[in-house]
Amino acid sequence: EAGVVQSPRYKIIEKKQPVAFWCNPISGHNTLYWYLQNLGQGPELLIRYENEEAVDDSQLPKDRFSAERLKGVDSTLKIQPAELGDSAVYLCASSLGEDTQYFGPGTRLTVL
Amino acid sequence: GDSVTQMEGPVTLSEEAFLTINCTYTATGYPSLFWYVQYPGEGLQLLLKATKADDKGSNKGFEATYRKETTSFHLEKGSVQVSDSAVYFCALSDLANDMRFGAGTRLTVKP
């Protein structure tokens, strides 16, 4: 069974540019999560979807971050414009309801 | 709010040494507890979990017991291998399945 797929794996951009990350969850998993992982720290939740509905986006900086999960499957996380402090790893995870979360390999973003 | 505190690293051990990584938690309810492992360049992989007090999670020689009286979930392995070198994260999830992670402990095992 395929795991959570994320792309790109690495992205380098200049500040003020937009960037987007894509996530394809495990087939059948209705819950999808985006996490931010700063260097040397544990992941922190940005947003959680149940099917296509964002049920927890309290930690998402809405002035520059946006996310969508059309049709309740794939999801895209966007940053516009990116700032130097956004350099981090962006992790996507999925679960079947409230069961165990499974993580993708992450996208490492570097903002110059 | 709920939180997880885990032993600061890095931890360096020789092959076949005994491993303990301490993890304590603060939670208002009865969370599920997890250990995730992150190998270099990869995402987090579930190592083991326990969903209620006194449960023991185990996998690949690693064990952790959910201790409600000490609010702990320490990770142990009797004999580590070089291939166990990774970053280990302790985490909890509440009823809403919101995960809280510790800061991670980097383990290096030398031959």
Side-chain angles (χ1 to χ4, degrees):
Chain A
E1 178 182 315
V4 177
V5 179
Q6 290 188 247
S7 69
R9 291 294 310 275
Y10 304 91
K11 188 73 177 178
I12 300 174
I13 61 171
E14 294 191 348
K15 63 181 180 182
K16 299 184 182 179
Q17 295 299 306
V19 64
F21 315 123
W22 175 80
C23 172
N24 178 244
I26 292 173
S27 177
H29 282 193
N30 60 321
T31 307
L32 183 146
Y33 313 77
W34 283 103
Y35 287 87
L36 166 70
Q37 185 179 18
N38 286 306
L39 188 64
Q41 298 182 24
E44 298 174 10
L45 181 70
L46 289 172
I47 189 168
R48 174 165 62 99
Y49 283 92
E50 289 182 9
N51 300 304
E52 65 275 10
E53 182 182 358
V55 296
D56 183 357
D57 63 356
S58 57
Q59 301 304 310
L60 189 72
K62 298 181 183 62
D63 56 336
R64 297 184 300 107
F65 286 65
S66 64
E68 60 182 11
R69 191 183 185 199
L70 300 177
K71 300 181 181 179
V73 182
D74 295 0
S75 178
T76 303
L77 178 68
K78 298 178 181 177
I79 308 175
Q80 181 169 11
E83 297 179 351
L84 294 177
D86 296 331
S87 295
V89 176
Y90 292 82
L91 294 168
C92 180
S94 70
S95 68
L96 185 61
E98 295 177 357
D99 204 348
T100 302
Q101 295 183 30
Y102 294 88
F103 285 79
T107 297
R108 181 177 297 278
L109 173 67
T110 301
V111 182
L112 303 176
Chain B
D2 295 355
S3 65
V4 173
T5 302
Q6 65 181 101
M7 188 169 102
E8 288 188 17
V11 174
T12 302
L13 296 173
S14 297
E15 206 164 23
E16 299 184 3
F18 184 86
L19 169 71
T20 299
I21 301 178
N22 290 337
C23 171
T24 57
Y25 67 91
T26 302
T28 53
Y30 300 96
S32 294
L33 301 175
F34 304 82
W35 278 99
Y36 280 85
V37 57
Q38 188 172 34
Y39 298 103
E42 299 184 17
L44 277 73
Q45 300 176 25
L46 178 66
L47 182 59
L48 54 85
K49 70 176 183 179
T51 58
K52 61 183 187 298
D54 299 325
D55 270 2
K56 177 186 284 188
S58 61
N59 185 26
K60 300 181 182 179
F62 290 89
E63 293 183 341
T65 300
Y66 190 140
R67 301 286 189 200
K68 182 166 174 280
E69 64 275 13
T70 55
T71 62
S72 65
F73 193 56
H74 305 321
L75 182 68
E76 296 182 338
K77 186 175 185 182
S79 176
V80 293
Q81 306 300 313
V82 172
S83 57
D84 293 327
S85 297
V87 181
Y88 292 81
F89 291 92
C90 185
L92 66 80
S93 74
D94 59 16
L95 281 176
N97 210 27
D98 285 338
M99 297 281 284
R100 297 284 188 269
F101 288 86
T105 301
R106 181 176 299 278
L107 170 67
T108 301
V109 180
K110 296 188 173 181

